[in-house]
Amino acid sequence: MTLEDVIKKSILPLAFMVFWFWMTKTIMKVSGQTDWFWWIFIAGLPFGIHKMRLILIPRGMDTTATLGMAALSVIIGALIGCIMIPVYVIRAVYVFLRYIIGK
């Protein structure tokens, strides 16, 4: 495993996660308090949308049904992302430790 692999698979993903969590925590502040449910929901969004492999958009339906299905896709993607965040963190730490131990 090279240093380039460690940077791509460990350091950059963790740096993006820290930046994204900080940004969403700043956005989700209401009266000085962070709404944790919405923070976790929004924080999981970029990590779950691409895991869905399918975005539900109906054909031959009106605008309301199309927007409703798009909203459902976003909700499902965010919930999947909430589950995938610890997986990505564990994988990044594993790659980093494997590089350190292997060297």
Side-chain angles (χ1 to χ4, degrees):
M1 179 169 291
T2 65
L3 184 60
E4 182 181 339
D5 291 336
V6 172
I7 290 172
K8 279 188 205 175
K9 295 179 182 178
S10 179
I11 296 171
L12 286 178
L14 286 177
F16 172 73
M17 283 184 198
V18 167
F19 172 73
W20 181 254
F21 294 160
W22 169 78
M23 189 173 67
T24 55
K25 187 173 184 209
T26 305
I27 292 170
M28 289 290 121
K29 281 203 185 270
V30 177
S31 301
Q33 298 289 335
T34 302
D35 187 2
W36 292 105
F37 173 76
W38 284 108
W39 179 72
I40 291 172
F41 186 78
I42 299 297
L45 196 58
F47 304 105
I49 287 290
H50 72 280
K51 288 290 184 188
M52 285 180 53
R53 307 272 189 229
L54 173 68
I55 294 182
L56 306 170
I57 298 178
R59 288 180 48 182
M61 298 289 241
D62 58 346
T63 306
T64 308
T66 303
L67 288 175
M69 291 303 286
L72 181 66
S73 295
V74 169
I75 290 169
I76 292 171
L79 292 175
I80 291 171
C82 293
I83 296 169
M84 292 306 296
I85 288 171
V87 173
Y88 289 139
V89 170
I90 290 169
R91 185 178 69 184
V93 169
Y94 171 74
V95 168
F96 188 70
L97 289 176
R98 200 171 100 192
Y99 176 73
I100 290 174
I101 291 172
K103 201 168 190 182

Short mmCIF file of all heavy atoms in Angstrom, two decimals, residues 16-48:
data_model
loop_
_atom_site.label_atom_id
_atom_site.label_comp_id
_atom_site.label_asym_id
_atom_site.label_seq_id
_atom_site.Cartn_x
_atom_site.Cartn_y
_atom_site.Cartn_z
N PHE A 16 -12.98 15.34 4.49
CA PHE A 16 -14.27 15.76 3.95
C PHE A 16 -15.37 15.57 4.98
O PHE A 16 -16.24 16.43 5.13
CB PHE A 16 -14.61 14.99 2.68
CG PHE A 16 -16.00 15.25 2.20
CD1 PHE A 16 -16.32 16.46 1.61
CD2 PHE A 16 -17.00 14.31 2.37
CE1 PHE A 16 -17.61 16.72 1.17
CE2 PHE A 16 -18.29 14.55 1.95
CZ PHE A 16 -18.59 15.77 1.34
N MET A 17 -15.34 14.45 5.71
CA MET A 17 -16.36 14.20 6.73
C MET A 17 -16.31 15.26 7.83
O MET A 17 -17.36 15.77 8.24
CB MET A 17 -16.18 12.82 7.35
CG MET A 17 -16.66 11.70 6.52
SD MET A 17 -16.50 10.17 7.43
CE MET A 17 -16.59 9.01 6.10
N VAL A 18 -15.11 15.59 8.29
CA VAL A 18 -14.99 16.60 9.34
C VAL A 18 -15.52 17.95 8.84
O VAL A 18 -16.28 18.63 9.54
CB VAL A 18 -13.53 16.72 9.81
CG1 VAL A 18 -13.32 17.96 10.67
CG2 VAL A 18 -13.13 15.48 10.57
N PHE A 19 -15.15 18.33 7.62
CA PHE A 19 -15.64 19.59 7.06
C PHE A 19 -17.16 19.57 6.90
O PHE A 19 -17.85 20.52 7.26
CB PHE A 19 -14.98 19.87 5.71
CG PHE A 19 -15.57 21.04 5.00
CD1 PHE A 19 -15.32 22.33 5.44
CD2 PHE A 19 -16.39 20.86 3.89
CE1 PHE A 19 -15.87 23.42 4.80
CE2 PHE A 19 -16.95 21.94 3.24
CZ PHE A 19 -16.69 23.23 3.69
N TRP A 20 -17.69 18.47 6.36
CA TRP A 20 -19.14 18.38 6.15
C TRP A 20 -19.91 18.40 7.46
O TRP A 20 -20.94 19.06 7.58
CB TRP A 20 -19.47 17.13 5.35
CG TRP A 20 -20.92 16.97 5.06
CD1 TRP A 20 -21.77 16.10 5.64
CD2 TRP A 20 -21.71 17.73 4.15
NE1 TRP A 20 -23.03 16.25 5.13
CE2 TRP A 20 -23.02 17.25 4.21
CE3 TRP A 20 -21.42 18.77 3.27
CZ2 TRP A 20 -24.04 17.77 3.44
CZ3 TRP A 20 -22.44 19.29 2.50
CH2 TRP A 20 -23.73 18.80 2.59
N PHE A 21 -19.42 17.70 8.48
CA PHE A 21 -20.09 17.68 9.78
C PHE A 21 -20.05 19.06 10.43
O PHE A 21 -21.02 19.50 11.02
CB PHE A 21 -19.47 16.65 10.71
CG PHE A 21 -19.66 15.23 10.26
CD1 PHE A 21 -18.85 14.23 10.74
CD2 PHE A 21 -20.65 14.88 9.35
CE1 PHE A 21 -19.01 12.93 10.32
CE2 PHE A 21 -20.82 13.59 8.94
CZ PHE A 21 -20.00 12.61 9.42
N TRP A 22 -18.92 19.74 10.32
CA TRP A 22 -18.81 21.09 10.88
C TRP A 22 -19.78 22.04 10.17
O TRP A 22 -20.46 22.83 10.81
CB TRP A 22 -17.38 21.60 10.75
CG TRP A 22 -17.26 23.06 11.06
CD1 TRP A 22 -17.25 23.63 12.29
CD2 TRP A 22 -17.19 24.11 10.11
NE1 TRP A 22 -17.16 24.98 12.16
CE2 TRP A 22 -17.12 25.31 10.83
CE3 TRP A 22 -17.16 24.17 8.72
CZ2 TRP A 22 -17.03 26.55 10.22
CZ3 TRP A 22 -17.08 25.39 8.11
CH2 TRP A 22 -17.01 26.57 8.85
N MET A 23 -19.84 21.94 8.85
CA MET A 23 -20.72 22.82 8.08
C MET A 23 -22.19 22.56 8.40
O MET A 23 -22.96 23.50 8.63
CB MET A 23 -20.47 22.64 6.58
CG MET A 23 -21.18 23.66 5.73
SD MET A 23 -20.73 23.54 4.01
CE MET A 23 -21.43 21.98 3.57
N THR A 24 -22.59 21.31 8.46
CA THR A 24 -23.99 21.02 8.76
C THR A 24 -24.34 21.34 10.20
O THR A 24 -25.46 21.75 10.48
CB THR A 24 -24.33 19.54 8.45
OG1 THR A 24 -23.43 18.70 9.15
CG2 THR A 24 -24.26 19.26 6.97
N LYS A 25 -23.39 21.18 11.12
CA LYS A 25 -23.67 21.54 12.50
C LYS A 25 -23.87 23.05 12.63
O LYS A 25 -24.73 23.51 13.38
CB LYS A 25 -22.53 21.08 13.41
CG LYS A 25 -22.85 21.29 14.87
CD LYS A 25 -21.81 20.69 15.74
CE LYS A 25 -22.27 20.87 17.17
NZ LYS A 25 -21.24 20.97 18.10
N THR A 26 -23.10 23.82 11.88
CA THR A 26 -23.27 25.27 11.89
C THR A 26 -24.61 25.67 11.31
O THR A 26 -25.29 26.56 11.83
CB THR A 26 -22.13 25.93 11.09
OG1 THR A 26 -20.88 25.49 11.61
CG2 THR A 26 -22.21 27.44 11.18
N ILE A 27 -25.03 25.00 10.26
CA ILE A 27 -26.31 25.31 9.62
C ILE A 27 -27.48 24.90 10.50
O ILE A 27 -28.50 25.59 10.55
CB ILE A 27 -26.40 24.61 8.24
CG1 ILE A 27 -25.38 25.22 7.29
CG2 ILE A 27 -27.79 24.72 7.66
CD1 ILE A 27 -25.23 24.44 6.00
N MET A 28 -27.36 23.81 11.22
CA MET A 28 -28.48 23.27 12.00
C MET A 28 -28.64 23.90 13.38
O MET A 28 -29.41 23.41 14.19
CB MET A 28 -28.32 21.76 12.18
CG MET A 28 -28.56 20.98 10.93
SD MET A 28 -30.29 21.04 10.49
CE MET A 28 -30.24 21.75 8.90
N LYS A 29 -27.92 24.96 13.67
CA LYS A 29 -28.07 25.62 14.97
C LYS A 29 -29.36 26.43 14.99
O LYS A 29 -29.62 27.24 14.11
CB LYS A 29 -26.89 26.53 15.25
CG LYS A 29 -25.69 25.78 15.72
CD LYS A 29 -24.78 26.69 16.49
CE LYS A 29 -23.52 25.96 16.84
NZ LYS A 29 -23.56 25.28 18.06
N VAL A 30 -30.18 26.19 16.00
CA VAL A 30 -31.41 26.93 16.21
C VAL A 30 -31.35 27.47 17.64
O VAL A 30 -31.31 26.70 18.59
CB VAL A 30 -32.64 26.03 16.02
CG1 VAL A 30 -33.91 26.79 16.30
CG2 VAL A 30 -32.65 25.44 14.63
N SER A 31 -31.34 28.75 17.79
CA SER A 31 -31.27 29.41 19.10
C SER A 31 -30.05 28.96 19.90
O SER A 31 -30.12 28.74 21.10
CB SER A 31 -32.54 29.14 19.91
OG SER A 31 -33.66 29.61 19.22
N GLY A 32 -28.93 28.75 19.21
CA GLY A 32 -27.71 28.36 19.89
C GLY A 32 -27.59 26.87 20.17
O GLY A 32 -26.57 26.41 20.64
N GLN A 33 -28.64 26.10 19.91
CA GLN A 33 -28.65 24.65 20.15
C GLN A 33 -28.67 23.92 18.81
O GLN A 33 -29.31 24.35 17.87
CB GLN A 33 -29.87 24.24 20.96
CG GLN A 33 -29.93 24.84 22.34
CD GLN A 33 -28.89 24.25 23.26
OE1 GLN A 33 -28.44 23.13 23.06
NE2 GLN A 33 -28.50 25.01 24.26
N THR A 34 -27.97 22.81 18.74
CA THR A 34 -27.97 22.00 17.52
C THR A 34 -29.11 20.99 17.60
O THR A 34 -29.24 20.27 18.59
CB THR A 34 -26.64 21.26 17.36
OG1 THR A 34 -25.59 22.23 17.33
CG2 THR A 34 -26.61 20.46 16.08
N ASP A 35 -29.93 20.95 16.56
CA ASP A 35 -30.98 19.95 16.48
C ASP A 35 -30.35 18.66 15.96
O ASP A 35 -30.06 18.53 14.77
CB ASP A 35 -32.08 20.43 15.53
CG ASP A 35 -33.28 19.52 15.53
OD1 ASP A 35 -33.28 18.53 16.29
OD2 ASP A 35 -34.24 19.81 14.79
N TRP A 36 -30.09 17.71 16.84
CA TRP A 36 -29.29 16.53 16.52
C TRP A 36 -29.96 15.62 15.49
O TRP A 36 -29.27 15.01 14.67
CB TRP A 36 -28.94 15.76 17.78
CG TRP A 36 -28.00 16.54 18.64
CD1 TRP A 36 -28.30 17.20 19.79
CD2 TRP A 36 -26.63 16.80 18.38
NE1 TRP A 36 -27.20 17.83 20.28
CE2 TRP A 36 -26.15 17.61 19.42
CE3 TRP A 36 -25.75 16.44 17.37
CZ2 TRP A 36 -24.83 18.05 19.49
CZ3 TRP A 36 -24.44 16.88 17.44
CH2 TRP A 36 -24.00 17.67 18.48
N PHE A 37 -31.26 15.49 15.54
CA PHE A 37 -31.94 14.63 14.58
C PHE A 37 -31.72 15.14 13.16
O PHE A 37 -31.33 14.39 12.26
CB PHE A 37 -33.44 14.55 14.89
CG PHE A 37 -34.21 13.82 13.82
CD1 PHE A 37 -34.16 12.45 13.75
CD2 PHE A 37 -34.97 14.51 12.89
CE1 PHE A 37 -34.86 11.76 12.77
CE2 PHE A 37 -35.67 13.84 11.91
CZ PHE A 37 -35.61 12.46 11.86
N TRP A 38 -31.97 16.42 12.95
CA TRP A 38 -31.80 16.99 11.61
C TRP A 38 -30.33 17.04 11.22
O TRP A 38 -29.99 16.92 10.05
CB TRP A 38 -32.43 18.36 11.52
CG TRP A 38 -33.91 18.26 11.42
CD1 TRP A 38 -34.81 18.57 12.38
CD2 TRP A 38 -34.66 17.78 10.31
NE1 TRP A 38 -36.08 18.31 11.94
CE2 TRP A 38 -36.01 17.82 10.66
CE3 TRP A 38 -34.32 17.30 9.05
CZ2 TRP A 38 -37.03 17.42 9.80
CZ3 TRP A 38 -35.33 16.90 8.19
CH2 TRP A 38 -36.65 16.96 8.58
N TRP A 39 -29.44 17.23 12.20
CA TRP A 39 -28.01 17.25 11.88
C TRP A 39 -27.55 15.90 11.36
O TRP A 39 -26.85 15.82 10.35
CB TRP A 39 -27.20 17.64 13.11
CG TRP A 39 -25.74 17.65 12.82
CD1 TRP A 39 -25.05 18.56 12.08
CD2 TRP A 39 -24.78 16.67 13.22
NE1 TRP A 39 -23.72 18.22 12.02
CE2 TRP A 39 -23.53 17.07 12.71
CE3 TRP A 39 -24.86 15.51 13.98
CZ2 TRP A 39 -22.37 16.34 12.93
CZ3 TRP A 39 -23.71 14.79 14.19
CH2 TRP A 39 -22.48 15.20 13.67
N ILE A 40 -27.95 14.83 12.03
CA ILE A 40 -27.57 13.49 11.57
C ILE A 40 -28.20 13.20 10.21
O ILE A 40 -27.57 12.62 9.33
CB ILE A 40 -27.98 12.43 12.62
CG1 ILE A 40 -27.11 12.58 13.85
CG2 ILE A 40 -27.86 11.03 12.06
CD1 ILE A 40 -27.53 11.72 15.01
N PHE A 41 -29.43 13.64 10.04
CA PHE A 41 -30.14 13.42 8.78
C PHE A 41 -29.42 14.12 7.62
O PHE A 41 -29.14 13.51 6.58
CB PHE A 41 -31.57 13.93 8.92
CG PHE A 41 -32.44 13.63 7.75
CD1 PHE A 41 -32.97 12.37 7.59
CD2 PHE A 41 -32.74 14.60 6.81
CE1 PHE A 41 -33.79 12.07 6.52
CE2 PHE A 41 -33.54 14.32 5.74
CZ PHE A 41 -34.06 13.06 5.59
N ILE A 42 -29.09 15.39 7.79
CA ILE A 42 -28.43 16.15 6.73
C ILE A 42 -26.99 15.69 6.54
O ILE A 42 -26.48 15.66 5.42
CB ILE A 42 -28.48 17.67 7.03
CG1 ILE A 42 -29.93 18.15 7.11
CG2 ILE A 42 -27.71 18.47 6.02
CD1 ILE A 42 -30.70 18.02 5.83
N ALA A 43 -26.33 15.32 7.63
CA ALA A 43 -24.94 14.87 7.53
C ALA A 43 -24.84 13.56 6.74
O ALA A 43 -23.86 13.32 6.05
CB ALA A 43 -24.34 14.69 8.92
N GLY A 44 -25.85 12.72 6.80
CA GLY A 44 -25.82 11.45 6.08
C GLY A 44 -26.20 11.55 4.62
O GLY A 44 -26.01 10.60 3.86
N LEU A 45 -26.69 12.68 4.20
CA LEU A 45 -27.18 12.83 2.83
C LEU A 45 -26.14 12.54 1.75
O LEU A 45 -26.40 11.72 0.86
CB LEU A 45 -27.78 14.23 2.65
CG LEU A 45 -28.65 14.45 1.44
CD1 LEU A 45 -29.82 13.48 1.44
CD2 LEU A 45 -29.16 15.87 1.44
N PRO A 46 -24.94 13.13 1.77
CA PRO A 46 -24.01 12.84 0.67
C PRO A 46 -23.43 11.43 0.71
O PRO A 46 -22.91 10.94 -0.29
CB PRO A 46 -22.90 13.88 0.85
CG PRO A 46 -22.95 14.24 2.26
CD PRO A 46 -24.38 14.12 2.67
N PHE A 47 -23.52 10.76 1.84
CA PHE A 47 -22.97 9.41 1.96
C PHE A 47 -23.98 8.33 1.59
O PHE A 47 -23.61 7.18 1.41
CB PHE A 47 -22.46 9.18 3.39
CG PHE A 47 -21.47 10.19 3.82
CD1 PHE A 47 -21.82 11.19 4.70
CD2 PHE A 47 -20.19 10.17 3.32
CE1 PHE A 47 -20.90 12.13 5.10
CE2 PHE A 47 -19.26 11.11 3.71
CZ PHE A 47 -19.62 12.10 4.60
N GLY A 48 -25.25 8.68 1.47
CA GLY A 48 -26.27 7.68 1.20
C GLY A 48 -26.92 7.78 -0.16
O GLY A 48 -27.42 6.78 -0.67
#
